Amino acid sequence: MKQEITLKKQHSGFAFFKQIASIVKSKFEKDAVSKSLKKTAITIVSILLFLGLWHLGSKALYNKEAAYRIEKALEEQGPAAADAERACIASGESRCQPNTLPSPTQVWASFMSLIADHHLIQAKKDAFNLKMESTNAKLIAQGKKAIVYTGRASFIDIVLTSIKTVFAGFLLALIIAVPIGVIIGLSPSLRSAFNWFIQIFKPVSPVVWYLLVFMIVKTLYIGASSDNAFVISFVSVGLCAMWATLVNTAMGVSSVDKDYINVAKVLKLGTFQKVFKVILPSSLPLIFTGLRITLSVAWMVLIAIELLAQSPGLGLFVWEEFQNGANDSNAKIIVAMFVIGIIGFLLDRLMLTIQQMVSFNKNEGI
Amino acid sequence: MAYLELKNVCKTYGQGNNSTEVLSNINLKIEEGEFVAIVGFTGSGKTTLVNLINGLIKPTSGEVLFKGEPVVGTSHKRGVIFQNYSLLPWLTVYQNVAMAVKEAFPKESKTEIKERVVSFIKMVGLSHAIDKRPKELSGGMRQRVSVARALAMKPEMIIMDEPLGALDALTRGNLQDEILNIWSKDKRTALLITNDVDEGIYMADRIIPLKPGPKATLGPEFIIDIERPRDKTKLNDNINYIETRNKIIAYLMAIGESRKSVSNTEYVLPDATPKSFVGQF
Ligand SMILES: Nc1ncnc2c1ncn2[C@@H]1O[C@H](COP(=O)(O)OP(=O)(O)O)[C@@H](O)[C@H]1O
Ligand SMILES: [Mg+2]
């Protein structure tokens, strides 16, 4: 009985604190909410401003090209042809539209059509798979390869290919650069031995990496029927992007705080323990800084390398649309540009979050 | 044979023209179970001396003998509490202490190690923070972890390099008592480096000043003849305490003066003895 009373008392006291806490919290939240509202408003305004300027710019370019076409028709074929040209442009017929920077609405329409196209292709693929289900089951039972859909890739497939390539390249960079960086970082003599190598290969352009990888992979894959565009592009991306991780890892490992090393010595940690329990954890923040740079470099060079390697990703998509010169090609290129930018931004955010999770302030333990 | 003995130890950093002799002709003997304090000015070479004793660095000339054997490298027999707490920031309190215990007692089972770690964290009063990382702890708490880490290895001798220098006065007093408590329980040999004379007098059996560098040497020792356990609040009434304190401070001021004006070999000792404000507020 007595216990119950004290319990209740505690409860009411607790409730009182809770109330205060919630009042304080709501006040803080109000502040935070109004701040974030303001931030959002500013972002929205700047986006609208950007779209407006873009719209005006593309309109001016459109008018300029239209005027030039009418002028040209007038000079070459006389006033009747000029009138016909003017009417044709005004009618919006795709045959005689000026081919210039697309407006925001055109880009949006292109984006929607790419998505619709994706659904269409997806439906075809599903139908194909359904039809081939029994045949494929038989083929597999006989130990043969199943027949897969080989139609045109949709925009989403293209984006996924690019993402797959960039992650494969990133993993390759990680697997090569981190261990080598650790080994170089641990030994000053190896560091000076490798220095010239790093200095020379770091600034090499993605195109050259591609050619190098192409020479090697082509020979390795001689006779193999499978397409090696994917292998070539992810290996080139990895080799091109790994240098930041290599340099940062070596730097992190070689500049571990003296205090931590002293702790390792006083505790008499073995070499293995010293590396894995002290040196590596203390260089993790720098390693992840390097990995973040590597991922953004990988994404940036990916476009050029996919183009060269004819790998069915965004790079090739952009190039083919440019070559294609269809009416909405320019709009599709701009769509690809935004998709590339947004994915790059998201990848960087992802790495930043991981980086913040593993980083610590040097003075935290001191 | 002394427990720890330094014979004509010199330490020079750098080479050729850039070299500075930080410590010169250090002679020191510490007996088993003794609590010795070394006081000195900042930059006089106290940390260098500590690192020579714990084996992190080698003397340029002279010998450091621990139980009659020359010191080669670090040893689990000599526990160190660093000047900056030197905890590993990516490990929790438990993990920081456990890392040391695992190294010191490689043959113990997992449960034994766990018990040992938990008991030492409890001893320094941090059971509630056992799973926190150093950044979530105050300076005093971090130093407690550092104390627990050093003591959990059950060293025969404990070496403390200005362990409480960065703490506020209240926390400092508390930790002094805790360290004394632990030390008196199994009377391990202790060497305390400090820049605070009062701390030295309160804690140690002997105080030895380290003269300012470069070429720092040890000054004459001062025996603290006050029986333990010492009561901080009554120290100011202890005639022995006041006398010893005044002698040490006068000595330190004198060598401090001599450092400022090396050319002026003649110096006047101040007439007035410093007034103590300890315990008056
Ligand atoms: N690794 C080192 N290399 C060169 N000089 C050093 C090194 N460590 C300490 N010193 C110098 O030795 C002197 C004493 O340093 P230290 O032992 O840290 O003094 P204290 O701990 O008493 O403040 C200082 O002048 C410092 O600059
Ligand atoms: Mg020091």
Side-chain angles (χ1 to χ4, degrees):
Chain A
M1 191 65 211
K2 211 176 172 188
Q3 216 172 3
E4 226 178 77
I5 293 170
T6 46
L7 258 177
K8 259 188 193 155
K9 227 178 176 177
Q10 265 180 358
H11 257 293
S12 65
F14 200 57
F16 174 67
F17 275 115
K18 253 187 172 167
Q19 214 171 350
I20 289 186
S22 80
I23 290 170
V24 171
K25 208 171 151 197
S26 74
K27 199 158 187 189
F28 268 109
E29 270 171 3
K30 243 186 208 163
D31 261 13
V33 164
S34 75
K35 230 182 209 166
S36 77
L37 267 182
K38 201 171 159 191
K39 229 176 161 178
T40 322
I42 290 175
T43 312
I44 290 174
V45 167
S46 67
I47 289 175
L48 289 177
L49 208 68
F50 170 75
L51 289 176
L53 282 175
W54 174 12
H55 177 77
L56 291 177
S58 71
K59 204 169 177 182
L61 287 172
Y62 178 94
N63 288 340
K64 188 172 176 205
E65 185 147 342
Y68 172 77
R69 283 187 182 206
I70 294 166
E71 185 91 347
K72 206 173 151 198
L74 184 70
E75 264 172 30
E76 286 170 7
Q77 294 157 14
D83 280 343
E85 184 76 30
R86 184 176 292 124
C88 180
I89 290 172
S91 74
E93 211 175 306
S94 64
R95 172 175 58 86
C96 45
Q97 283 306 302
N99 191 7
T100 177
L101 177 71
S103 72
T105 41
Q106 278 171 311
V107 169
W108 180 251
S110 264
F111 175 67
M112 292 319 271
S113 85
L114 281 171
I115 298 294
D117 186 45
H118 166 73
H119 289 308
L120 213 75
I121 290 178
Q122 195 62 43
K124 265 191 204 163
K125 217 191 236 172
D126 288 344
F128 177 84
N129 284 342
L130 204 67
K131 209 172 78 186
M132 299 305 288
E133 211 175 344
S134 57
T135 323
N136 275 343
K138 267 184 215 157
L139 281 176
I140 289 169
Q142 286 170 9
K144 288 182 189 160
K145 265 191 182 169
I147 301 169
V148 289
Y149 184 79
T150 49
R152 197 162 52 87
S154 77
F155 186 64
I156 305 283
D157 294 334
I158 286 170
V159 172
L160 289 179
T161 304
S162 281
I163 292 178
K164 203 173 82 186
T165 313
V166 94
F167 271 110
F170 176 72
L171 278 183
L172 181 74
L174 184 122
I175 290 168
I176 297 178
V178 172
I180 295 183
V182 170
I183 292 166
I184 293 179
L186 286 175
S187 144
S189 46
L190 268 184
R191 209 156 50 243
S192 40
F194 264 86
N195 194 32
W196 67 269
F197 188 81
I198 295 172
Q199 299 303 329
I200 288 179
F201 282 93
K202 199 168 62 164
V204 168
S205 113
V207 177
V208 180
W209 279 116
Y210 162 74
L211 294 174
L212 192 72
V213 173
F214 177 75
M215 293 173 213
I216 297 168
V217 171
K218 195 190 64 179
T219 318
L220 288 179
Y221 271 60
I222 268 180
S225 59
S226 69
D227 104 287
N228 46 25
F230 172 71
V231 178
I232 293 179
S233 38
F234 94 74
V235 173
S236 321
V237 166
L239 289 183
C240 193
M242 72 177 195
W243 302 96
T245 302
L246 183 62
V247 171
N248 273 35
T249 305
M251 197 162 83
V253 168
S254 63
S255 64
V256 174
D257 199 302
K258 192 114 199 291
D259 289 325
Y260 302 154
I261 299 290
N262 280 350
V263 169
K265 279 189 187 155
V266 165
L267 300 188
K268 291 191 88 69
L269 298 183
T271 315
F272 183 83
Q273 293 264 323
K274 193 167 129 185
V275 170
F276 283 91
K277 295 257 168 97
V278 178
I279 293 177
L280 271 185
S282 87
S283 31
L284 267 193
L286 261 178
I287 294 179
F288 271 86
T289 310
L291 286 175
R292 188 175 159 212
I293 300 172
T294 286
L295 187 58
S296 64
V297 169
W299 186 245
M300 213 147 85
V301 301
L302 174 77
I303 307 302
I305 283 175
E306 275 179 343
L307 188 164
L308 289 168
Q310 299 286 299
S311 168
L314 281 165
L316 190 60
F317 174 82
V318 169
W319 186 244
E320 280 181 345
E321 287 304 328
F322 179 68
Q323 296 286 313
N324 192 351
N327 209 32
D328 60 347
S329 285
N330 286 359
K332 279 185 186 166
I333 291 173
I334 306 276
V335 170
M337 187 189 92
F338 277 110
V339 169
I340 291 167
I342 289 168
I343 292 175
F345 170 73
L346 292 178
L347 289 179
D348 193 56
R349 271 300 140 113
L350 179 76
M351 285 309 286
L352 182 68
T353 318
I354 300 176
Q355 191 190 345
Q356 278 167 348
M357 254 160 35
V358 300
S359 68
F360 51 85
N361 191 332
K362 210 170 135 192
N363 295 327
E364 275 167 16
I366 301 174
Chain B
M1 182 185 73
Y3 189 71
L4 177 84
E5 186 168 3
L6 276 73
K7 281 189 193 162
N8 294 322
V9 168
C10 301
K11 180 67 197 176
T12 307
Y13 281 121
Q15 271 161 10
N17 281 340
N18 281 332
S19 67
T20 39
E21 189 172 355
V22 178
L23 296 176
S24 154
N25 267 317
I26 301 280
N27 285 293
L28 174 68
K29 273 186 189 179
I30 297 180
E31 299 301 328
E32 188 158 7
E34 244 192 324
F35 197 130
V36 173
I38 290 179
V39 292
F41 297 93
T42 305
S44 56
K46 301 187 297 296
T47 300
T48 306
L49 183 61
V50 162
N51 286 346
L52 282 169
I53 294 171
N54 68 31
L56 278 173
I57 56 176
K58 289 195 204 98
T60 312
S61 67
E63 271 188 311
V64 182
L65 300 173
F66 180 69
K67 301 210 282 190
E69 304 270 329
V71 166
V72 200
T74 56
S75 159
H76 289 155
K77 291 180 179 160
R78 297 183 299 275
V80 186
I81 300 176
F82 290 102
Q83 182 167 8
N84 40 44
Y85 326 128
S86 295
L87 302 177
L88 303 179
W90 54 88
L91 297 181
T92 63
V93 169
Y94 179 88
Q95 290 166 331
N96 263 295
V97 179
M99 190 179 205
V101 173
K102 276 180 205 155
E103 287 303 317
F105 304 98
K107 291 197 187 95
E108 284 196 351
S109 71
K110 271 188 180 163
T111 43
E112 282 171 310
I113 285 176
K114 191 172 175 196
E115 274 168 25
R116 198 183 281 275
V117 174
V118 169
S119 78
F120 274 90
I121 291 173
K122 191 176 170 206
M123 183 189 76
V124 295
L126 283 179
S127 295
H128 62 284
I130 194 161
D131 288 321
K132 292 206 165 132
R133 280 176 211 282
K135 71 170 171 193
E136 299 168 87
L137 307 178
S138 67
M141 289 160 93
R142 289 179 198 177
Q143 191 55 284
R144 279 162 204 256
V145 181
S146 176
V147 170
R149 179 175 66 184
L151 294 177
M153 298 176 85
K154 288 273 176 196
E156 294 173 21
M157 176 180 185
I158 174 141
I159 303 164
M160 298 168 268
D161 185 7
E162 299 191 49
L164 312 175
L167 305 181
D168 61 280
L170 282 175
T171 318
R172 212 177 160 135
N174 275 338
L175 266 176
Q176 282 169 0
D177 290 337
E178 269 173 43
I179 291 175
L180 280 177
N181 240 332
I182 295 160
W183 169 77
S184 63
K185 253 184 222 156
D186 36 21
K187 282 280 175 193
R188 272 171 266 180
T189 314
L191 176 67
L192 170 75
I193 306 288
T194 180
N195 54 24
D196 179 352
V197 176
D198 290 315
E199 184 171 284
I201 299 177
Y202 178 58
M203 296 179 79
D205 300 319
R206 271 195 292 155
I207 290 191
I208 305 169
L210 182 65
K211 292 182 191 168
K215 293 199 178 187
T217 54
L218 292 175
E221 67 174 28
F222 296 86
I223 309 279
I224 315 296
D225 191 14
I226 304 172
E227 86 186 46
R228 293 178 191 270
R230 295 169 185 166
D231 185 346
K232 218 176 239 165
T233 52
K234 292 195 184 125
L235 271 186
N236 266 338
D237 308 329
N238 189 322
I239 200 82
N240 215 335
Y241 165 78
I242 297 170
E243 264 179 21
T244 318
R245 187 175 185 281
N246 289 349
K247 266 195 274 178
I248 296 172
I249 288 179
Y251 177 80
L252 286 176
M253 286 185 72
I255 57 173
E257 278 301 313
S258 74
R259 176 173 61 159
K260 271 184 219 154
S261 48
V262 187
S263 57
N264 190 1
T265 41
E266 286 274 311
Y267 50 77
V268 192
L269 274 175
D271 236 357
T273 47
K275 189 164 163 48
S276 168
F277 292 99
V278 175
Q280 294 198 1
F281 298 102

